[in-house]
Amino acid sequence: MKHLIFFIYSLLLLPMAGNALAQTESLQPYDSTQAETVMNQYFAALASGDVATLKTLLGGRLKAKRAALLNNPEYAGYLATTHANASFEIQGMHSTAPNIVSVDVVVSFKPDETIRKTYMLKRNASDNAAAPPYSIVSEAAVALSLIHI
């Protein structure tokens, strides 16, 4: 009798588990084109010192962490000077959680100075067409490579 009750209970829960799985799977895919566009806008803003664009692209703790810099009038000039000749190459991206995309980037400042960074992007829930589809919520330097010739 216990087995019959367990079997019936399992059958009743099966559709709920399937719905939860289907909802989770629908959150997993990410739009690599949109994520790449956000990253390209970010790199262009760094190179030009466009603090206003950076404020719209950053989110979460990263935006809070950078708030003092973003509001410093000298920061735009620093960014433009530091990143003007930098090149950025997206090495890959993948979803790490629902609505989260990890983007691996190589940043080259000079031929002999390269930094590997990982950015975490979170899909914005806003229906506002002017808002970017993703916010950059985390940035971490993975490795620094100096090549001496």
Side-chain angles (χ1 to χ4, degrees):
M1 185 70 175
K2 280 184 172 180
H3 294 290
L4 181 61
I5 292 173
F6 178 75
F7 179 72
I8 292 171
Y9 185 69
S10 297
L11 287 176
L12 291 173
L13 290 178
L14 190 59
M16 287 184 234
N19 286 341
L21 181 61
Q23 289 173 352
T24 301
E25 287 178 359
S26 71
L27 296 175
Q28 290 290 1
Y30 64 93
D31 187 326
S32 61
T33 303
Q34 287 182 338
E36 187 173 345
T37 298
V38 167
M39 293 308 300
N40 287 333
Q41 290 172 342
Y42 177 71
F43 301 139
L46 289 176
S48 65
D50 184 353
V51 175
T53 297
L54 292 175
K55 286 180 180 180
T56 65
L57 296 174
L58 297 178
R61 286 188 219 148
L62 184 59
K63 187 173 186 175
K65 183 178 171 182
R66 299 237 175 108
L69 289 172
L70 294 170
N71 292 320
N72 181 337
E74 296 177 13
Y75 190 54
Y78 166 80
L79 288 174
T81 301
T82 304
H83 296 91
N85 296 318
S87 65
F88 305 91
E89 182 181 343
I90 295 175
Q91 297 287 303
M93 61 179 74
H94 61 278
S95 183
T96 59
N99 298 317
I100 302 290
V101 179
S102 175
V103 182
D104 299 319
V105 177
V106 173
V107 182
S108 299
F109 292 98
K110 300 174 186 173
D112 60 345
E113 186 178 341
T114 301
I115 299 174
R116 295 182 186 277
K117 292 187 174 190
T118 297
Y119 295 89
M120 300 300 272
L121 280 60
K122 182 175 182 182
R123 183 179 294 280
N124 288 326
S126 173
D127 291 333
N128 180 358
Y134 290 95
S135 289
I136 302 168
V137 296
S138 169
E139 174 188 60
V142 179
L144 173 66
S145 173
L146 296 174
I147 303 167
H148 298 285
I149 300 176

